[in-house]
Amino acid sequence: MRRRLFALCLAVVLMAACGSDSKPAATSSSSSTASKPTKVVSLSATATEMLFAIGAGPQVIAVDDQSNFPPEAPKTDLSGFTPNVEAIAGYQPDLVVIPNDTAGLVAGLQNLKIEVLILGPAKQLADSYDQLVTLGAKTGHQDEANKVVAKMKSDIEALVKSVPQQKAGQTYYYELDNTFFTATSNTFIGAVLNVTGLKNIADAVDDGTGFPQLSVEKIVSASPDFIFLADTKCCQQSKDTVSQRAGWSTISAVQKGQIVELDDDVASRWGPRIVDLLRTVVEAVKK
């Protein structure tokens, strides 16, 4: 899981260099055509989800090896972490969507007259909305993108309103892996969970990256009301494994059974399925 965390934080420049207050980039290189692209390659799992959500799926001819949703996405062995210009060019795309310019990827594709769209990691929900709109405009699906954004906003507003007032201020620990790396409120996922009114126990020890590693003592002494597990796939963590950890039986979340299992993939992306993750959190909080 640490490998995944640092891959997201460093290789993909997660959350705009893991702590910058600037918005993520949404930039495009010189275009090879003014018409909407018909051969799109996505090297970002989030961008892949966005493209299919706005109806641009039929235009997508290849996606990277981490793009596992939706199931019909044309997954290949292309890497978004270590992209290869020649391998990408082999698909003869007229648009390539990437999360950042790794190893001169943009220059390499520009030399081949291939347009590149950089959609950097989101810092807040507004960034997710902006990227959907950008993809809509770029692929000829502006109306569909606007509808997806409107639905996300409506769903999130309804979820927030459904959180009981007495739950506001309760605390949580968000687990990225079983060595206790976590995410603070200064990250995208932290910003999403903030809308529930819950308080993050890691905020007081943010090391500037937004992803500090907590000690067992810190977690146990904080005794969070909720534990959210974003390491159910990578590290096979569950309600049972957490409950069985030495010394954790005194934690409020363990005693109350308020350990919430999340989907690692959904939790690490900032596309439309962030609503599903928030719904899982809210439903757990409302119990």
Side-chain angles (χ1 to χ4, degrees), residues 63-141:
V63 301
D64 71 297
D65 55 3
Q66 299 301 306
S67 290
N68 56 6
F69 187 89
E72 62 269 27
K75 187 175 180 180
T76 70
D77 59 0
L78 290 175
S79 173
F81 295 127
T82 56
N84 180 281
V85 172
E86 289 75 19
I88 297 168
Y91 288 92
Q92 299 183 319
D94 46 21
L95 176 66
V96 178
V97 185
I98 61 176
N100 68 320
D101 186 11
T102 302
L105 177 61
V106 171
L109 292 173
Q110 282 182 325
N111 288 337
L112 298 174
K113 307 302 181 183
I114 298 172
E115 183 177 8
V116 184
L117 176 64
I118 303 175
L119 295 180
K123 180 72 174 179
Q124 53 192 343
L125 279 166
D127 301 332
S128 179
Y129 303 148
D130 289 346
Q131 291 187 9
L132 281 159
V133 171
T134 296
L135 281 173
K138 183 65 66 174
T139 61
H141 294 274

Side-chain angles (χ1 to χ4, degrees), residues 178-253:
N178 56 357
T179 65
F180 316 127
F181 274 96
T182 187
T184 71
S185 296
N186 293 320
T187 62
F188 176 74
I189 191 62
V192 170
L193 295 187
N194 276 351
V195 303
T196 65
L198 298 177
K199 302 300 181 182
N200 192 327
I201 68 167
D203 286 351
V205 294
D206 193 336
D207 59 1
T209 68
F211 301 101
Q213 183 180 30
L214 302 185
S215 66
V216 171
E217 293 75 18
K218 167 63 180 175
I219 300 168
V220 172
S221 63
S223 189
D225 298 296
F226 294 91
I227 294 175
F228 298 114
L229 301 176
D231 54 355
T232 58
K233 291 182 178 179
C234 72
C235 309
Q236 293 77 52
Q237 296 305 293
S238 65
K239 295 178 182 178
D240 290 340
T241 62
V242 171
S243 298
Q244 293 167 11
R245 292 175 182 173
W248 286 54
S249 61
T250 62
I251 296 177
S252 177

Side-chain angles (χ1 to χ4, degrees), residues 142-159:
Q142 189 70 74
D143 289 345
E144 294 96 323
N146 290 338
K147 289 178 181 178
V148 170
V149 169
K151 183 67 163 56
M152 289 177 67
K153 290 181 177 179
S154 176
D155 288 346
I156 290 174
E157 181 181 5
L159 286 169

